[in-house]
Structures are given as structure tokens and as C-alpha cells.
Amino acid sequence: MQIAQNSVVAFHYTLTNDAGEVLDSSEGREPLTYLHGAGNIIPGLEKQLEGRAAGDKLQAQVAPEEGYGEIQPQLVQEVPRDAFQGVESVEPGMQFQAQTQGGPLMVTVTQIEGDTVTVDGNHPLAGQSLNFDVEIAEVREASEEEVEHGHVHGEGGHEH
């Protein structure tokens, strides 16, 4: 069976950046399982998996605009240290959920200077080209319930 709309796909992967550093991998774990066409994985990778079958191996390069997007400078902001009430020590690398006009947003502390904290709401992989080494483990037809819910159920998927 080939990967197409409403296929359940299980695949192993290693994700590297352009410098060759491993950013994530399924090595030693179960394969990543998703519902094709439901927006469960980044668009650029999903497009390159279309039409593939179990046993296929491929290298997929995904540009930022089809991955986690370009860096949006407006998502980098300086906020006063007292915005972190109840947090004893704020350090670079810490993540917080901020309430914005557009809803909740995960931000990462990138810098602290005196009473000013710089936070970045961009995804950590925004602006980066992503390189995937992929091996497709399984492709099957999704159940009606999986299609209705927009995600995989059962092994490797979501349990209700």
C-alpha cells in the first residue's frame, strides 16, 4: 500500500540540521506513527512521504517554510523580570507558556540582562533547514474513527 490521504504511516527517522548535528531520532524507540493528510507532521516531510510504501528509505530535505517556519522577529520580546512572579530563578533555556492576544504561546528565555528578560516565541527549529533520513516501517488504511478524530489510535497512536 502506498502512502496517501488517510493512510496510517509508521516510520523511523533521524533528523539533522545542515551542520550534521542530530536533533532528534526514533532510534531505539518505536517508529513515529501519524495519520497522513491530517497535519500531524510538518508539511514538507508529509509531501515527500506521499506515494511511498513500507520498506522505502529516503532522505528528505525540508526548507523552513515547509517545516517550522521562518523566524518571526516580532515573537522575540523583552519583558520585565517581575513578569515571572512565583519563579525563583529565571535562566536562559527555560520555557514558559505566555498568554498572548492570539492565545497561549510557548516561549523560551534566551537572555537576561539586569531586570530585563528576552523571550523567544519562535519554535526552536524555526528558520532551519531540516534533513530527515527516513525508513517507512508500515502503511495501512486508517479506520473511520481515526479519520474522524484526525489522529492515529492504538499502538503508536492516541488512546482515548
Side-chain angles (χ1 to χ4, degrees):
M1 178 175 180
Q2 290 186 319
I3 297 172
Q5 182 73 29
N6 297 331
S7 299
V8 172
V9 182
F11 68 96
H12 283 286
Y13 68 95
T14 297
L15 168 61
T16 57
N17 61 16
D18 282 343
E21 300 167 317
V22 175
L23 303 175
D24 194 11
S25 176
S26 66
E27 188 175 333
R29 300 183 311 203
E30 292 295 314
L32 176 65
T33 304
Y34 77 100
L35 178 62
H36 193 80
N40 296 162
I41 64 172
I42 59 173
L45 180 58
E46 189 170 59
K47 284 179 188 174
Q48 293 184 55
L49 294 179
E50 182 97 20
R52 303 292 183 145
D56 285 359
K57 294 181 180 181
L58 67 139
Q59 292 184 325
Q61 293 181 312
V62 178
E65 57 272 13
E66 290 196 297
Y68 293 98
E70 296 291 350
I71 292 175
Q72 298 179 47
Q74 70 273 22
L75 294 180
V76 178
Q77 296 186 353
E78 292 182 346
V79 296
R81 168 67 178 87
D82 61 13
F84 298 88
Q85 293 176 4
V87 179
E88 197 170 305
S89 176
V90 178
E91 302 290 333
M94 292 176 84
Q95 292 188 314
F96 296 91
Q97 185 169 321
Q99 297 304 321
T100 70
Q101 291 176 343
L105 177 69
M106 286 300 295
V107 297
T108 302
V109 175
T110 58
Q111 186 177 342
I112 301 170
E113 275 189 37
D115 287 334
T116 302
V117 178
T118 303
V119 295
D120 187 345
N122 287 288
H123 187 282
L125 297 177
Q128 293 189 44
S129 293
L130 306 172
N131 305 293
F132 291 89
D133 281 322
V134 175
E135 180 175 359
I136 300 169
E138 181 186 355
V139 180
R140 68 170 173 81
E141 194 172 320
S143 70
E144 285 183 33
E145 185 179 45
E146 288 171 323
V147 172
E148 185 181 312
H149 289 190
H151 58 251
V152 177
H153 293 170
E155 190 172 324
H158 185 79
E159 298 289 344
H160 285 279

